[in-house]
Amino acid sequence: SKYKVVVPGTGEHPLQYNYTFWYSRRIPSRPASSQNYEQNIKQFGTVASVEQFWRVYSHLVRPGDLSGYSDFHLFKEGIKPMWEDEANKNGGKWIIRLRKGLASRFWENIILAMMGEQFMVGEEICGVVVSIRFQEDILSIWNKTASDQVTTARIRDTLRRVLNLPPNTIMEYKTHTDSLKDNSSF
Amino acid sequence: GTRIIYDRKFLMECRNSPVAK
């Protein structure tokens, strides 16, 4: 397959990592499986600089304006937003459930924090997801090593700071192994 | 190694500048 190397343009501000945007939409009546998940998820852009990021982002629908079962993902280039990916298989994610109306703002803040390297956990971050559902929306951030409690605690603390979460927000950590076992994430 | 760190304020300013500085 053709592989196009994405690099920052002249005079642009490079990012520490390249990131790829993905979009998926699921028909809720169908059972979730990794096979149809992979069929339904599409990547639509990789960015290497701050300026490239804004060019893609400014053309996107705000996640809070999406309907039904839709997810936006922003992952480091080369990491598929799937539990089975080499970078994710020993990992996990912090899950934040949001009442309707908050997803767009929190999604923007979490991706800016990730791209700006605000988490200070080395190579640990894999990507972030915003999941639009009927009753609530869900934000999650994936990291490589679920067993690394220092890292997961640091990610949680950074999230609280950069998102300025409402005090009653519940944050839950789930390993991808557990997600695979119960075959349900959200 | 050195990491490229940007705060939210800087990233938002880049959004509003039509030409990269």
Side-chain angles (χ1 to χ4, degrees):
Chain A
S1 66
K2 286 177 192 161
Y3 180 72
K4 194 173 146 217
V5 178
V6 180
V7 294
T10 309
E12 293 184 345
H13 296 89
L15 297 170
Q16 177 71 40
Y17 300 97
N18 288 5
Y19 290 93
T20 302
F21 283 95
W22 303 72
Y23 172 73
S24 61
R25 190 173 164 79
R26 185 157 71 84
I27 299 157
S29 57
R30 282 199 204 151
S33 76
S34 59
Q35 194 185 4
N36 63 33
Y37 178 77
E38 193 161 18
Q39 284 164 357
N40 287 340
I41 186 162
K42 304 276 180 243
Q43 53 174 291
F44 62 88
T46 296
V47 298
S49 70
V50 179
E51 288 77 4
Q52 288 170 1
F53 164 76
W54 284 121
R55 282 199 288 276
V56 175
Y57 181 84
S58 59
H59 286 95
L60 296 183
V61 178
R62 286 159 54 87
D65 296 335
L66 292 168
S67 60
Y69 264 68
S70 303
D71 293 27
F72 274 133
H73 317 248
L74 185 65
F75 271 65
K76 282 178 183 165
E77 186 181 31
I79 303 180
K80 270 191 185 177
M82 300 185 70
W83 303 324
E84 298 87 344
D85 190 280
E86 196 61 31
N88 296 321
K89 67 179 190 186
N90 297 315
K93 64 189 171 190
W94 279 107
I95 301 166
I96 304 168
R97 294 173 190 278
L98 301 170
R99 65 179 165 80
K100 285 287 179 186
L102 298 177
S104 298
R105 177 159 56 96
F106 285 154
W107 168 241
E108 182 170 296
N109 285 339
I110 200 171
I111 58 184
L112 295 184
M114 179 175 71
M115 289 194 316
E117 286 292 311
Q118 296 292 313
F119 287 96
M120 303 288 194
V121 288
E123 308 280 310
E124 270 290 321
I125 304 288
C126 297
V128 292
V129 186
V130 61
S131 303
I132 304 304
R133 298 295 180 261
F134 294 114
Q135 305 285 343
E136 60 181 3
D137 299 325
I138 297 147
L139 206 57
S140 53
I141 181 163
W142 294 28
N143 75 295
K144 280 184 184 165
T145 319
S147 59
D148 181 347
Q149 291 179 4
V150 174
T151 290
T152 55
R154 184 175 281 188
I155 294 169
R156 179 199 60 211
D157 294 344
T158 308
L159 277 177
R160 284 196 192 281
R161 180 170 56 83
V162 298
L163 297 181
N164 196 16
L165 292 169
N168 57 349
T169 308
I170 295 165
M171 296 177 69
E172 176 199 346
Y173 193 82
K174 189 170 186 180
T175 68
H176 299 322
T177 311
D178 283 347
S179 298
L180 270 166
K181 271 186 213 151
D182 61 23
N183 197 25
S184 76
S185 210
F186 325 117
Chain B
T2 313
R3 297 183 86 80
I4 306 169
I5 296 169
Y6 299 118
D7 64 16
R8 187 180 184 281
K9 183 168 173 284
F10 178 83
L11 293 170
M12 294 305 287
E13 284 167 5
C14 287
R15 179 183 208 173
N16 300 323
S17 67
V19 183
K21 289 179 188 122

